[in-house]
């Protein structure tokens, strides 16, 4: 796979910590599909990695707890007929998954107070609209 696979900033996925498994992919493909192992499974040991800073690692382990099996995250790709393109797809998926899982939590929302004048104007307009609609009724029969 060409080039380093950047998670975020200067942190990259080390090629040595990636484990690959290949199997036969389902779906169309003709006679060739019965003989080639084009489906790709990419395994990354998140619990034992030294590539991620400790804070990122803890955050990712917490957020990906449902996807982990013994601290290992698995990504599958079988959309393409070529094993090479499926490998690229799996790497991209893993990098984006880790980028999302290691992202810092969003800043807490600060409650804002509606200015008094805006609220009064809203109530005034609401009352005027109500009067307009009340004037449309024909109760003078």
């Amino acid at each position: 796979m060409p080039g380093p696979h950047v998670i975020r900033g200067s942190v990259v996925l080390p090629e040595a910590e990636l484990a690959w498994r290949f199997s036969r992919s389902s779906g169309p493909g003709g006679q060739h599909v019965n003989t080639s192992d084009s489906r790709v499974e990419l395994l990354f040991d998140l619990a034992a990695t030294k590539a991620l800073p400790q804070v990122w690692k803890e955050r990712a382990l917490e957020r990906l707890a449902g996807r982990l099996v013994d601290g290992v995250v698995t990504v599958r790709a079988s959309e393409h007929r070529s094993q090479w393109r499926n490998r690229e797809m799996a790497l991209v998926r893993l990098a984006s998954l880790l980028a999302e899982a290691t992202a810092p939590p969003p800043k807490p929302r600060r409650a804002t107070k509606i200015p008094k004048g805006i609220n009064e104007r809203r109530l005034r307009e609401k009352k005027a609209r109500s009067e307009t609609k009340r004037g449309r009724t024909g109760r003078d029969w």
Side-chain angles (χ1 to χ4, degrees):
M1 305 285 97
H5 303 285
V6 178
I7 296 173
R8 200 170 61 246
S10 62
V11 179
V12 295
L13 280 173
E15 195 68 39
E17 292 186 11
L18 301 177
W20 299 93
R21 279 198 300 212
F22 308 102
S23 60
R24 293 200 180 119
S25 182
S26 62
Q31 295 171 339
H32 176 68
V33 78
N34 299 327
T35 60
S36 65
D37 293 338
S38 61
R39 183 174 124 179
V40 172
E41 285 186 27
L42 175 57
L43 295 93
F44 181 67
D45 194 350
L46 188 58
T49 187
K50 303 286 185 207
L52 298 176
Q54 190 61 29
V55 176
W56 287 18
K57 190 169 156 180
E58 290 168 2
R59 202 179 291 156
L61 284 170
E62 181 183 326
R63 290 182 182 171
L64 297 175
R67 285 192 65 151
L68 298 177
V69 178
D70 296 329
V72 178
V73 64
T74 305
V75 176
R76 291 177 191 84
S78 61
E79 291 80 32
H80 303 287
R81 288 171 60 175
S82 150
Q83 185 188 97
W84 181 260
R85 289 182 65 193
N86 283 332
R87 286 178 65 149
E88 288 175 339
M89 181 69 76
L91 269 171
V92 168
R93 280 190 193 155
L94 180 63
S96 67
L97 180 72
L98 290 175
E100 190 177 314
T102 59
K107 291 181 181 177
R109 183 185 175 277
R110 214 171 72 204
T112 57
K113 186 177 175 186
I114 299 172
K116 198 173 184 180
I118 290 177
N119 202 30
E120 287 174 357
R121 185 179 66 202
R122 180 184 65 86
L123 292 173
R124 228 182 7 258
E125 289 172 358
K126 192 172 177 180
K127 190 173 276 300
R129 183 80 176 141
S130 169
E131 290 297 324
T132 303
K133 288 189 171 190
R134 195 175 309 135
R136 291 179 186 158
T137 61
R139 285 191 273 176
D140 55 345
W141 58 84

